[in-house]
Amino acid sequence: MMRESGLFQCGLKSVSGALVFLEGARGISYGEMVEVIGGDGRVRPGRVLIASRETVALEVYQGTEGLSPAETRVRFLAHGLEVPVAEEMLGRTFDSFGHALDGGPEPLAREWRDVNGAAINPAMRAYPRDFLQTGVSAIDGMNTLVRGQKLPIFSASGLPHNRLAAQIVRQAEVPGERAGFAVIFAIVGASRDVADMFRRSVEESGALGRVAMFVNFADDPAVERLITPRTAFTLAEYLAFDRGMHVLVVVTDMTQYCEALREVASAKGEVPSRKGFPGYLYSDLASLYERAGRIRGREGSITQVPILTMPNDDITHPIPDLTGYITEGQIVLERELDRADIYPPINVLPSLSRLMSDGIGAGRTRDDHAHLSNQLYSAYAYTRRIRMLAAIIGEEELSGRDKMYLEFGRRFETEFVGQGPEENRSIAQTLDRGWEMLKLIPAADLTRVSEQELAAHLK
Amino acid sequence: MAGELSTSPGAREAQRKPVGRTVWVSGPVVKAEVEHSVFMGEQMEVGDERLIGEVIGVSGGQALLQVYEETEGLGPGRPVFSTGLPMFVTLGPGLVGSVFDGIQRPLHALEKAGPYISRGTKATPLDTEKRWHFVPRKRAGEKIGAGEVLGIVQETSVIEHRVLVPPEVSGELASVVPEGEYTVADVVATVRRHETGEEMSLTMAHRWPVKRPRPYHSHLRPEVPLITGQRIFDLFFPLAKGGTAAIPGGFGTGKTVTQHQLSKWAMADIIVFVGCGERGNEMAEVLLVFPELADPRTKRPLMEKTVLIGNTSNMPVAAREASIYTGITIAEYYRDMGYDVALMADSTSRWAEALREVSGRLEEMPAEEGFPAYLAARLAQFYERAGYVETLGGATGSVTVIGAVSPAGGDFSEPVTQHTKRFTRCFWALDKDLAAARYFPAINYLESYSGYLDEVGEWWHRKYDARWRALRDEAMRLLQEDSRLQRIVRLIGEDALPDEQRLIIEGSRLLQEACLQQNANDPVDTFCQPEKQLALLGAVLHFVKRAEEVVKKGAPIHRVREMAVREEIVRAKEKIPNDQLDRFKELTRRIDEEMDALYRDFRRVT
C-alpha cells in the first residue's frame, strides 16, 4: 500500500483505544488513509475520522499498542482505503487489506479501488429474477435464492451455520454457467480453527479455483473487521460489473462485524442507541448489504448470503432486526430441528425469500415450483399446529388424517429439509423429492397444486 | 425572497463566490467559518466539488452544515459557497414521470456518469432543453393573483399541468407569450407587482423552500374518502382525501406490498412515492412495474401520474432526511393546481433515524432511544402538511399522506410509532402473526383505527348505500365478539361452546376469508370497486343472519359450514369481476335457497 509518498506529521496529542489524536495537520481530508509509524518502525494503516483544523482523529487498524505520542509519525496518503482487485485473486486467501495469507505472492493487481465503493443509482438497477442453485433443498425449493438478491442466514450459537456456509460455498452454481461463476467468502472474526475448517473444506471439494477468501481472525483488532466485508465487496463489484461474472458473496459472522462497530463507536464516545449499538447501525449495514444487485446493461450479478448469529436466539435483537429490514428475506435456523439431528436445521416457516416468486417457474426453475412449494409450506404449517395439539392430548387421540400429517412432517424434516453436508441436489431432484413428500398426505388436501400437476407428478 | 425563488433555474449560478472555508469534517456534518450573511436553513455548496449542503446552525462566525453527499475527501480549508436561498426544490412541468434522489437530482440524468452515484454530480431537476406546448389562459393587462392559472401545458397524457402564478406574486400582467413551444427556462410572462411596482419575469418553473408549507386559501373538512380498492381500508378503516395514515409493521409483514398496492390503486390524480432509506431492488421493481401497469381509471401507464423519489438505504443519510421534504413540497405544488395527491413515504422510520444520526454527530442531548427531542415536532410538521384545501386560485385540492413506520423489533411502543400515532388519524397496524399465517393484507383489525368514519360516512351514504356505516359496524361487532370468544376457545376448544357462539366464530371466519383477506396478485381481487365491496360485505352478513335463524331452529353448525354456497361467497372476490355485480343478486338468491332448504329439513325433523 506504499504506493505514493504523502505528508508527514510527527508527534501525537493522545492515544485512546483504537483512536489517536494529533494537532495542527494541514491539507488533510475526511476518510483519507494514513500510515501510523511507531517508535519500533512498525507501519500501521489507519483512517481519518474527524478532519479538523485543530485536532484530527484517526482510527488505527492493527492496534495502538506500542505507540507513544512523542515517537510516532503519521503519513497522510491523500486517498481513501484502497484494495487490489484482479481475477487472479480467485483461488487465493487474503487478509482484510488484500495481502496474501496463503504464503503465495501478493496479488498482481490490475487496479486498486476504494473499499467503500459507491451507491448504485437505483434507476440503473435491474430487477433480479434469475435462479441461483445452492444444492440445498430447503433453500432452493422453499426459499429460492435469486441472482442479485441478499438473503441472510439467521443462526445462533451452537448451530451448524459454518457447515452450511461451507456447503453453500462449495455447491453454489448458476445452472449451465459454471465458467463465469465466482464465490467470495469473507470470514469476520473467526477463530483459526474455523477459518482452517473453511479453507480445507473448499480445497477438498476442488472448488478452490473459483473461490477467493478474505479472513479476519478473532484476535485481530476489532476495527479491521469493519474492513473485511468491504474488501470482499470491492472485489465482487469488479468481478461482477467489470468482468461480467456471477458472484456469490458469503459473509460470516455479521454479528462479529456489528460488535466491532459498537466497540469502535463507543471508543469514539458516540451516543449509543439500542443495546449500545450506534444510531447509524442501519445505514452502516445498508452500505454493505446494498452492494448486492444487478445493473442494467451489464452481464454479472452480486448475490449475498450474510450469516449472523442471533444473540440469545432473539430475532428482535437489533442485528437480525435491522438486517431483516434491509435484506430481501431470511433463512432461519432452528435449535429444535438441530436437537432432532436434522441438518441443515432450516425452519421453512419463518424463512422467506422476497424475490422468489419472480425468480422461479418455467424457464427459470420448473413450472410446478410455485404451487409445489406453496403446498409443502401449508402442509408443514398445519403439521406444526397438529404437533402442538398432539403434545396436549396425545398422539393416539388424533384423527387418521392428522396422523398422516405427523408422518408427513417427520419425513419432510428428515428427507426434504434434511440432507448430507456433502449432498448436492439439483433443483429437479429437490422438486421431485417434494412431490414424494406430498404422497404422504390425503389427496383431497392438495388444493394448492393444479390437477395437471397432480397427474404429471403423482402417478 | 419570492423574487429570488421565482427566477429561472441556473440564473444565479455564475455569480457565486466563496463565503467561507471549512474547519471541521466528520461524516455528513461540516463546520465552516463564514461571513455573517449566512442564514439558518440556507442551501450551501461545499468544497471544490460543490457538494450540496444546508446550514443547520450558525453562531458567531461559524456555521454548521449538513452535507447531502458523501464527504470522503473533504477536509478543513476548503471553500464554502452561498446560494442565498433556503433549501429549495424546482417546481414546473416535467416532474411527473421523473425519478429523483432526495435532493431532487433526476436519477436518469445521473446515469450518464455511470451506474454509481458519484459525488458532486450536478443535474438540473427539470429538463431545460425540453419544449412544452404552453397555452396562455390570461391576457396582458389582466389583474392576476397568486395561485391563478397563467396557462396550461399537457405534461403527460393524463396530467394537465396548470402553470400557476407563484405564491406571494400578484399584480397586473404586463405581457404574456402567445401559445407555442417553450422550455422551463423561457420567460412566458411579466408581471407589474402591486406592492413595488417593479416588473417581474415568470417562467413555467419556480423554486420553493422545502421546509416551508405552500400557502393555500382555507382548510376544508376532509369528507371525501380516498378510495383505495382495498376492502380492509375502504370499508373498515377509511382514509379521507387530505387525511393522514400510518402503516406500522415489522419486517416481512407486507408494509411495502401494501404501500405499492395503495400507489397502484388509490383514486388520486397524482402519486408521489418517496422511497426513503429502503431497498434498491424495491425501487428497481417499482421502475419495472409502474410503466407497464395501467391506472384503473385512465387505463394509461401508472408512471404518467407518478413522481418517484428514491433515496435508498445506502445513499447519503442526510439526503434521506431531505427526501421527505422534497416529496411533500412536490405534492403541495400539484395540490395547488387542484389535484388530489397521495404521498406515500416508505419509511418514515428511516427518516427519523437520519435525524438521529445527524443529531448524534452534533452531540445533541438525546431523548428516547437516542432520537433527538425534536423528533415529535418534526413528525408533526410533516403530517400537518396534509390537508384538503381551497387553493389560492380558488380550486380545491388535497394532499393525503400515508407514512410507513418500521418499528424496531416490530414493537409499537418505540418512539417513532408512538409519536406518529399522535399526528395521524388512521392507524393501519400490520401484524406479524397474521403475516406468518399468510393472511394478507396482514392488518390487525382490532388494533387499527380510523378517525374519518363520521366524515366519510356521509359520502358513502350519499353516493352508494345508506347502509354503509351500519354494515361496517355490524361486521366490526362480529369480529370483536369473535376475538373475545377466541380467548375461551384457546382454553377449552371450539367444540365446547354453545351453537350461537360457534356461529359467531364461524361468521367471523367467513368474513375474514371472503372479505378482509385480499389477494394483491390476483388480477380481479387486486382492486375492488366500492360497489363490489358493499355487495360482498352484504352477502357475508346476509349469510350470517340467515344462518342464525337456521341454527336457532336446531340445525347443527357443521351443516352451515358445509354449505356449497359458503365456498361460493369465499370465491366471489376473485370470481366476480368489478363490472358484473348483478351476480351478487344471484349469490344472495342461492344463500336464501340453501338456507331455506336447511330450515325445512329441521322443521321436518323437529
Side-chain angles (χ1 to χ4, degrees):
Chain A
M1 289 225 294
M2 304 254 233
R3 289 179 305 129
E4 47 196 296
S5 60
L7 210 64
F8 265 101
Q9 168 86 23
C10 290
L12 301 179
K13 186 182 166 207
S14 62
V15 182
S16 152
L19 303 187
V20 303
F21 298 88
L22 68 162
E23 281 180 329
R26 289 273 175 274
I28 51 148
S29 319
Y30 170 72
E32 181 176 358
M33 278 304 286
V34 296
E35 286 176 344
V36 179
I37 304 150
D40 53 2
R42 213 180 110 203
V43 178
R44 299 164 170 88
R47 198 173 79 104
V48 176
L49 279 187
I50 298 174
S52 151
R53 208 173 42 182
E54 283 82 36
T55 307
V56 177
L58 309 175
E59 73 185 353
V60 182
Y61 309 120
Q62 301 171 4
T64 49
E65 284 85 29
L67 291 183
S68 77
E71 284 177 300
T72 304
R73 284 173 303 149
V74 179
R75 174 149 70 172
F76 291 89
L77 298 179
H79 61 76
L81 176 54
E82 292 178 342
V83 290
V85 290
E87 225 167 296
E88 292 73 25
M89 290 173 77
L90 292 173
R92 304 281 311 275
T93 305
F94 305 95
D95 72 2
S96 304
F97 301 95
H99 296 301
L101 269 187
D102 51 7
E106 291 288 313
L108 269 176
R110 278 169 218 282
E111 257 184 84
W112 291 67
R113 291 208 175 159
D114 192 305
V115 285
N116 290 315
I120 299 176
N121 182 340
M124 281 295 279
R125 282 183 185 266
Y127 185 58
R129 46 188 321 175
D130 301 307
F131 173 57
L132 184 102
Q133 182 173 305
T134 64
V136 177
S137 294
I139 299 177
D140 293 350
M142 305 296 289
N143 296 288
T144 316
L145 183 58
V146 174
R147 274 174 264 162
Q149 183 175 11
K150 39 200 181 291
L151 187 63
I153 296 176
F154 287 6
S155 184
S157 326
L159 297 183
H161 48 269
N162 286 335
R163 201 194 289 177
L164 180 60
Q167 185 172 9
I168 293 173
V169 167
R170 285 194 311 269
Q171 295 181 172
E173 63 174 313
V174 172
E177 246 186 279
R178 209 165 167 88
F181 186 72
V183 180
I184 297 178
F185 198 10
I187 301 166
V188 183
S191 70
R192 274 157 218 278
D193 286 352
V194 172
D196 267 358
M197 183 279 282
F198 282 132
R199 190 164 10 184
R200 267 200 314 279
S201 108
V202 173
E203 259 167 21
E204 282 162 14
S205 71
L208 188 64
R210 59 183 185 132
V211 180
M213 286 171 60
F214 293 90
V215 186
N216 163 272
F217 294 108
D219 55 353
D220 286 334
V223 54
E224 267 186 57
R225 301 203 217 303
L226 306 183
I227 305 296
T228 325
R230 294 189 161 81
T231 307
F233 287 124
T234 307
L235 178 60
E237 278 164 2
Y238 170 78
L239 295 177
F241 303 131
D242 289 58
R243 316 296 300 175
M245 299 173 89
H246 294 293
V247 186
L248 171 69
V249 184
V250 178
V251 186
T252 181
D253 170 347
M254 283 306 293
T255 304
Q256 299 272 9
Y257 172 88
C258 295
E259 273 164 10
L261 191 72
R262 176 167 65 180
E263 188 180 328
V264 173
S266 126
K268 284 189 238 170
E270 289 173 346
V271 178
S273 81
R274 281 170 76 206
K275 301 218 162 161
F277 289 95
Y280 51 80
L281 180 61
Y282 178 86
S283 302
D284 189 276
L285 284 174
S287 75
L288 296 179
Y289 296 144
E290 281 292 336
R291 289 174 85 171
R294 287 173 54 212
I295 291 177
R296 272 195 287 123
R298 308 239 173 157
E299 278 293 305
S301 63
I302 299 178
T303 312
Q304 266 188 52
V305 178
I307 296 170
L308 58 89
T309 47
M310 297 181 279
N312 202 21
D313 294 17
D314 177 10
I315 201 168
T316 66
H317 185 281
I319 299 172
D321 187 46
L322 295 180
T323 297
Y325 274 121
I326 305 165
T327 56
E328 285 124 1
Q330 66 279 337
I331 304 284
V332 182
L333 304 191
E334 190 189 63
R335 206 170 287 283
E336 202 179 313
L337 287 171
D338 185 56
R339 282 200 198 108
D341 214 20
I342 287 156
Y343 171 86
I346 296 174
N347 182 357
V348 298
L349 299 182
S351 300
L352 169 75
S353 164
R354 289 168 188 268
L355 301 183
M356 174 172 174
S357 59
D358 291 324
I360 60 172
R364 302 183 190 278
T365 54
R366 213 167 72 182
D367 54 356
D368 56 327
H369 192 162
H371 290 166
L372 172 66
S373 68
N374 229 322
Q375 184 72 66
L376 287 169
Y377 183 96
S378 79
Y380 186 61
Y382 184 71
T383 304
R384 286 259 175 151
R385 283 207 296 279
I386 294 301
R387 271 190 202 158
M388 282 199 285
L389 194 62
I392 299 168
I393 63 170
E395 203 172 322
E396 295 72 31
E397 299 296 312
L398 292 178
S399 67
R401 173 171 172 270
D402 288 351
K403 281 181 183 155
M404 288 174 85
Y405 272 97
L406 285 187
E407 178 58 14
F408 161 81
R410 272 189 284 271
R411 301 259 315 260
F412 179 77
E413 285 170 359
T414 51
E415 294 172 30
F416 185 87
V417 173
Q419 68 184 80
E422 305 292 331
E423 189 182 348
N424 188 358
R425 293 185 193 150
S426 72
I427 182 65
Q429 285 169 332
T430 289
L431 297 179
D432 291 345
R433 204 172 266 261
W435 283 106
E436 284 301 310
M437 299 297 117
L438 290 186
K439 285 181 183 164
L440 300 168
I441 57 174
D445 288 359
L446 299 178
T447 53
R448 298 187 183 228
V449 290
S450 72
E451 276 157 24
Q452 293 91 314
E453 286 163 347
L454 277 174
H457 299 282
L458 281 192
K459 272 162 282 185
Chain B
M1 191 182 290
E4 296 279 19
L5 287 161
S6 304
T7 52
S8 68
R12 279 174 44 94
E13 251 76 3
Q15 313 162 7
R16 291 183 203 160
K17 58 178 198 306
V19 293
R21 303 231 156 235
T22 56
V23 293
W24 186 95
V25 184
S26 173
V29 179
V30 172
K31 283 180 199 155
E33 277 179 354
V34 291
E35 291 167 12
H36 287 287
S37 60
V38 168
F39 59 89
M40 185 75 178
E42 182 173 355
Q43 181 165 331
M44 306 289 280
E45 292 179 356
V46 182
D48 303 313
E49 288 158 312
R50 298 201 163 203
L51 310 178
I52 306 281
E54 181 188 355
V55 179
I56 53 172
V58 270
S59 84
Q62 273 210 349
L64 207 53
L65 311 176
Q66 87 174 349
V67 176
Y68 292 114
E69 299 179 64
E70 291 297 338
T71 52
E72 204 134 296
L74 195 68
R78 312 295 158 82
V80 174
F81 302 87
S82 152
T83 64
L85 300 175
M87 274 301 290
F88 58 82
V89 286
T90 306
L91 302 166
L95 291 170
V96 173
S98 292
V99 191
F100 297 107
D101 75 354
I103 48 173
Q104 216 202 1
R105 291 184 299 183
L107 289 174
H108 285 299
L110 296 184
E111 283 177 19
K112 288 185 210 101
Y116 300 102
I117 295 184
S118 41
R119 287 180 312 133
T121 314
K122 293 277 178 289
T124 51
L126 299 176
D127 186 343
T128 47
E129 313 274 295
K130 188 174 164 115
R131 294 189 164 273
W132 298 95
H133 189 79
F134 176 79
V135 184
R137 283 290 162 87
K138 298 271 184 203
R139 278 190 305 271
E142 275 188 77
K143 293 251 181 294
I144 55 163
E148 285 180 28
V149 180
L150 196 62
I152 56 165
V153 162
Q154 199 65 36
E155 188 169 4
T156 68
S157 67
V158 292
I159 299 298
E160 177 192 271
H161 191 105
R162 294 157 197 158
V163 179
L164 304 179
V165 178
E168 299 168 6
V169 176
S170 62
E172 189 188 305
L173 201 56
S175 70
V176 62
V177 294
E179 177 174 345
E181 314 290 312
Y182 302 93
T183 70
V184 288
D186 292 333
V187 171
V188 293
T190 50
V191 188
R192 195 169 301 114
R193 301 181 73 172
H194 280 318
E195 319 86 76
T196 55
E198 67 186 283
E199 285 211 356
M200 177 180 174
S201 307
L202 297 181
T203 63
M204 284 186 276
H206 68 272
R207 291 164 160 175
W208 188 261
V210 291
K211 297 202 173 155
R212 204 161 110 220
R214 286 175 64 86
Y216 50 82
H217 181 266
S218 61
H219 219 267
L220 305 174
R221 184 168 177 248
E223 55 192 5
V224 181
L226 181 75
I227 294 297
T228 64
Q230 313 300 309
R231 291 182 292 270
I232 185 78
F233 301 138
D234 295 349
L235 286 179
F236 291 89
F237 308 108
L239 175 60
K241 284 181 178 172
T244 49
I247 315 182
F251 66 84
T253 52
K255 208 162 41 277
T256 302
V257 175
T258 308
Q259 284 270 25
H260 284 192
Q261 279 299 95
L262 291 169
S263 318
K264 286 174 191 169
W265 306 119
M267 291 293 200
D269 302 310
I270 301 270
I271 301 287
V272 179
F273 189 92
V274 186
C276 173
E278 290 290 304
R279 303 177 180 96
N281 281 335
E282 262 163 24
M283 214 63 210
E285 188 191 355
V286 168
L287 289 174
L288 182 76
V289 173
F290 277 29
E292 286 171 11
L293 208 69
D295 177 58
R297 279 191 300 178
T298 61
K299 312 292 174 217
R300 298 289 307 165
L302 212 53
M303 207 58 202
E304 295 196 9
K305 64 167 207 180
T306 306
V307 184
L308 289 174
I309 293 161
N311 211 86
T312 55
S313 55
N314 55 336
M315 286 158 77
V317 66
R320 195 192 296 165
E321 198 220 322
S323 66
I324 291 274
Y325 293 108
T326 301
I328 194 101
T329 311
I330 291 174
E332 286 175 341
Y333 176 61
Y334 282 94
R335 172 203 69 190
D336 291 347
M337 292 179 207
Y339 288 118
D340 290 319
V341 186
L343 177 127
M344 321 282 162
D346 186 12
S347 147
T348 56
S349 293
R350 306 298 162 227
W351 173 68
E353 280 164 17
L355 288 180
R356 174 167 72 185
E357 193 170 331
V358 172
S359 161
R361 301 255 184 199
L362 298 176
E363 298 179 342
E364 291 171 339
M365 182 72 78
E368 287 165 282
E369 295 195 16
F371 286 105
Y374 48 78
L375 171 68
R378 293 286 172 87
L379 280 168
Q381 280 161 11
F382 167 61
Y383 283 108
E384 275 304 303
R385 289 176 75 169
Y388 185 46
V389 305
E390 186 185 337
T391 66
L392 294 178
T396 55
S398 64
V399 173
T400 311
V401 175
I402 301 168
V405 184
S406 317
D411 174 10
F412 289 176
S413 67
E414 58 88 42
V416 183
T417 316
Q418 282 307 313
H419 290 310
T420 302
K421 258 180 135 163
R422 288 163 50 200
F423 309 121
T424 53
R425 282 181 69 192
C426 276
F427 189 73
W428 296 335
L430 288 164
D431 189 298
K432 203 153 196 166
D433 292 335
L434 291 178
R438 297 289 195 263
Y439 179 117
F440 290 112
I443 304 283
N444 182 324
Y445 46 77
L446 297 172
E447 243 180 292
S448 303
Y449 56 76
S450 162
Y452 299 103
L453 281 173
D454 296 334
E455 276 118 323
V456 306
E458 290 164 24
W459 180 91
W460 275 91
H461 295 162
R462 217 169 41 240
K463 190 147 179 178
Y464 291 108
D465 192 331
R467 293 177 309 153
W468 178 79
R469 185 63 188 268
L471 286 172
R472 187 240 172 230
D473 289 352
E474 193 182 333
M476 279 308 287
R477 264 200 304 281
L478 191 61
L479 292 170
Q480 271 156 7
E481 193 71 354
D482 168 58
S483 119
R484 194 178 61 79
L485 290 173
Q486 289 296 346
R487 285 201 286 271
I488 305 171
V489 167
R490 273 198 291 277
L491 295 175
I492 61 169
E494 196 176 323
D495 294 346
L497 293 179
D499 273 0
E500 310 89 78
Q501 298 194 335
R502 291 184 64 189
L503 188 65
I504 290 169
I505 292 178
E506 198 50 47
S508 161
R509 193 176 290 146
L510 177 66
L511 178 62
Q512 294 177 43
E513 282 177 36
C515 193
L516 297 192
Q517 293 187 31
Q518 192 165 353
N519 185 352
N521 294 318
D522 183 86
V524 173
D525 199 30
T526 187
F527 176 78
C528 188
Q529 289 279 12
E531 298 95 322
K532 183 178 159 188
Q533 298 187 13
L534 279 168
L536 200 53
L537 183 60
V540 169
L541 294 176
H542 184 66
F543 179 92
V544 174
K545 198 167 120 237
R546 292 297 320 264
E548 263 169 29
E549 295 166 20
V550 180
V551 168
K552 264 197 195 123
K553 286 285 160 205
I557 212 91
H558 73 90
R559 290 287 302 271
V560 172
R561 190 185 302 155
E562 286 157 8
M563 276 185 173
V565 75
R566 185 189 184 278
E567 192 59 24
E568 276 181 54
I569 302 173
V570 171
R571 296 200 181 274
K573 59 185 180 182
E574 288 166 5
K575 288 275 156 65
I576 303 183
N578 284 314
D579 55 2
Q580 295 178 20
L581 299 182
D582 280 352
R583 287 169 60 187
F584 277 99
K585 289 201 187 102
E586 167 68 14
L587 188 64
T588 312
R589 202 176 53 76
R590 303 249 302 118
I591 294 171
D592 286 336
E593 261 175 31
E594 288 196 29
M595 287 292 177
D596 289 346
L598 192 59
Y599 190 74
R600 279 195 299 275
D601 273 6
F602 278 87
R603 290 243 308 231
R604 258 204 311 276
V605 173
T606 46

